[in-house]
Amino acid sequence: PTSTTNTKEKMRQLKYDEKKLLKKVDFINWRDGNIQENKVMSHFGINRREEYRQYVKMVHKIRKLCNMITELDSIDPVRVKLTDQLLEKLYSMGLTNDKKNLKTAMNVGPASFCRRRLPVMLVRRHFCDAITPATTFVKHSHVRIGPQIVNDPAFLVTRNLEDYITWVDSSKIKQKVLKYNDLLDDYDIMNS
């Protein structure tokens, strides 16, 4: 009993700023996430944990669907149809590399979704050297997919849209690239 009273007596009063900071942080329900989650988020340049958690939820739903499909009889036409639809959807989204069987669908993880994000695709297609500047270019509306300007780094690029990633016509980056490659024509020089 005396040791607890001694520690209470030694503790000083919190200052106003300290009290205010302690109101914002909930130490009782504190969750920092696991190490793997932090590694994936830093590797793919994800700033908001909610985005990564959404990818985890989608992976759980895909695995749950795969488990439900595998519970059906192997010669059931409904199972064959659902398997083909699921594998086709995952392949067209770019989450799997082939449409062979449900094992490939079960191997889809949150990192598969992260690899399809627009900044990661910019790095893979050699528009940028690193994910951080690629994210900045996307946020500043320097990138378009087809005719649509995209400024959301969480945009998932499907296989069909991969070939349509390019710089916005009015972007200074596009003009620098064209000038470097000596592809800038007279009309573009006059308008820049």
Side-chain angles (χ1 to χ4, degrees):
T2 58
S3 62
T4 57
T5 56
N6 289 343
T7 56
K8 285 183 181 178
E9 291 172 7
K10 291 180 183 179
M11 190 169 163
R12 67 175 175 81
Q13 280 285 358
L14 294 175
K15 296 177 184 173
Y16 176 76
D17 296 339
E18 293 170 336
K19 286 181 186 177
K20 202 162 186 170
L21 284 173
L22 285 175
K23 285 182 185 177
K24 293 181 182 178
V25 180
D26 185 11
F27 288 108
I28 296 170
N29 297 324
W30 179 265
R31 283 185 59 205
D32 189 28
N34 58 20
I35 296 170
Q36 179 67 23
E37 185 175 312
N38 292 336
K39 275 185 186 178
V40 171
M41 285 180 59
S42 65
H43 183 265
F44 291 107
I46 300 173
N47 295 329
R48 295 180 38 226
R49 191 170 300 278
E50 295 85 33
E51 291 176 4
Y52 182 79
R53 295 241 168 98
Q54 274 196 320
Y55 298 149
V56 171
K57 285 179 186 176
M58 287 189 276
V59 167
H60 287 301
K61 287 181 181 180
I62 290 170
R63 290 186 180 158
K64 186 177 178 182
L65 185 61
C66 288
N67 288 331
M68 289 171 53
I69 291 174
T70 54
E71 289 175 1
L72 296 173
D73 189 26
S74 61
I75 57 172
D76 188 8
V78 174
R79 176 184 173 159
V80 174
K81 181 181 176 186
L82 289 175
T83 302
D84 290 341
Q85 287 177 347
L86 177 65
L87 293 175
E88 177 62 35
K89 184 68 171 177
L90 294 176
Y91 180 77
S92 66
M93 287 180 65
L95 300 176
T96 59
N97 292 329
D98 55 15
K99 300 182 261 186
K100 291 181 183 175
N101 55 19
L102 282 176
K103 284 186 179 180
T104 58
M106 289 292 282
N107 290 336
V108 171
S112 302
F113 283 97
C114 295
R115 284 186 209 103
R116 301 307 297 183
R117 290 169 57 94
L118 184 55
V120 177
M121 293 302 293
L122 287 174
V123 173
R124 285 178 55 196
R125 312 260 310 165
H126 302 291
F127 280 79
C128 299
D129 292 335
I131 292 176
T132 306
T135 304
T136 306
F137 292 148
V138 171
K139 284 182 181 177
H140 292 173
S141 302
H142 287 287
V143 180
R144 68 182 169 98
I145 298 180
Q148 179 185 5
I149 297 174
V150 180
N151 58 4
D152 182 18
F155 185 86
L156 295 178
V157 181
T158 62
R159 285 189 194 272
N160 295 339
L161 296 177
E162 273 182 16
D163 298 331
Y164 299 107
I165 299 173
T166 186
W167 299 112
V168 174
D169 292 333
S170 61
S171 173
K172 294 287 184 185
I173 298 165
K174 180 177 181 175
Q175 293 173 2
K176 290 279 186 185
V177 169
L178 291 174
K179 188 174 181 181
Y180 179 79
N181 293 330
D182 290 332
L183 297 174
L184 197 65
D185 62 3
D186 297 336
Y187 182 74
D188 291 333
I189 294 172
M190 292 182 73
N191 288 335
S192 60

